[in-house]
Amino acid sequence: MKKFIIFFTVIVLLIITVFLLLPKQENKDIILEQVKKETEIYKKMCFDESFPKGLDNYSMYGDALKNGDYRYHQCLKRNIIEKIDKLANKTDTEKMVKSLDKIQEGISDFYWDLYNREDNGSIGRGVNDASLGRYFEKILEDIIHYQYVFIHDTF
C-alpha cells in the first residue's frame, strides 16, 4: 500500500507540473504571435508611406526604388527610436540611437562595398538600402518583444 501511495503521489506531481508548464508555453506562443502582428503593422505602415503607389509601380532602374527603400528603413528607424525613447532613460536612449546610427553606417558600407566593387548600376546601389530595411525590421521586432516581455512582464 505504501508503494502505491508513493507511486500515486509521483504521478499526481508530474501531472500538476505538466499542467503548470503548459499555460506558460501557451502564453509565450501568444506573446510571440502578438509581437509578430505588431511588427507587421509597423512594417506595413512604413511600406505604404514609402511606396504609396505600390511596389509594382516603381522601376528597378533609376533611383525611385532605392529612394523608397531609404524612406522605408528611415521610417522603421523612426519607430524604433520612438519605442526606445518610451522604454529607456535619456542616457540609454542616446546610446541606443548612436548604436543604430553605427549599424546603419556599417550595413550601408558593407553592402556598398559588396555590390559596388564593380559597376552593378542602380540595382547594386539600391541593395544597401534594401538590406538595411531588413535589419531594422528585426531590430523593431526585438524591441516590441522586449516591451511585451520585460515592460508588460507577461512571461
Side-chain angles (χ1 to χ4, degrees):
M1 182 70 171
K2 196 173 190 178
K3 287 181 181 179
F4 177 74
I5 292 174
I6 293 173
F7 176 75
F8 183 73
T9 304
V10 168
I11 295 297
V12 168
L13 287 173
L14 283 172
I15 291 172
I16 290 172
T17 304
V18 167
F19 279 113
L20 289 175
L21 291 178
L22 282 179
K24 205 74 152 151
Q25 182 60 44
E26 197 173 285
N27 233 5
K28 287 180 185 179
D29 293 342
I30 290 169
I31 290 169
L32 292 175
E33 188 61 35
Q34 289 172 329
V35 167
K36 287 189 185 305
K37 283 181 183 178
E38 187 173 334
T39 303
E40 287 302 318
I41 289 169
Y42 282 100
K43 287 168 50 176
K44 182 177 178 356
M45 178 192 67
C46 288
F47 183 84
D48 291 345
E49 180 182 310
S50 303
F51 298 98
K53 296 186 279 182
L55 197 56
D56 292 339
N57 294 311
Y58 291 86
S59 172
M60 287 178 50
Y61 305 102
D63 288 335
L65 192 58
K66 179 183 178 356
N67 293 337
D69 281 333
Y70 178 82
R71 288 188 303 271
Y72 177 70
H73 69 66
Q74 290 305 301
C75 177
L76 291 172
K77 185 177 181 182
R78 229 180 10 257
N79 285 291
I80 290 167
I81 292 170
E82 286 175 14
K83 289 192 166 296
I84 288 171
D85 206 25
K86 290 178 184 173
L87 63 90
N89 62 41
K90 185 176 177 158
T91 304
D92 289 340
T93 298
E94 288 172 0
K95 288 179 186 176
M96 287 187 265
V97 170
K98 284 180 185 176
S99 295
L100 276 176
D101 291 340
K102 288 179 184 177
I103 289 168
Q104 180 172 334
E105 182 181 349
I107 290 170
S108 295
D109 287 349
F110 175 82
Y111 283 100
W112 178 264
D113 292 340
L114 178 66
Y115 282 95
N116 291 291
R117 291 172 291 123
E118 298 175 13
D119 185 9
N120 289 309
S122 58
I123 294 172
R125 287 192 304 275
V127 171
N128 56 355
D129 288 306
S131 299
L132 185 56
R134 290 192 303 267
Y135 284 91
F136 281 168
E137 288 171 356
K138 180 61 179 140
I139 291 170
L140 178 62
E141 184 177 341
D142 290 341
I143 289 173
I144 293 170
H145 184 260
Y146 177 88
Q147 287 178 306
Y148 274 90
V149 174
F150 295 104
I151 303 301
H152 300 302
D153 198 24
T154 51
F155 261 176

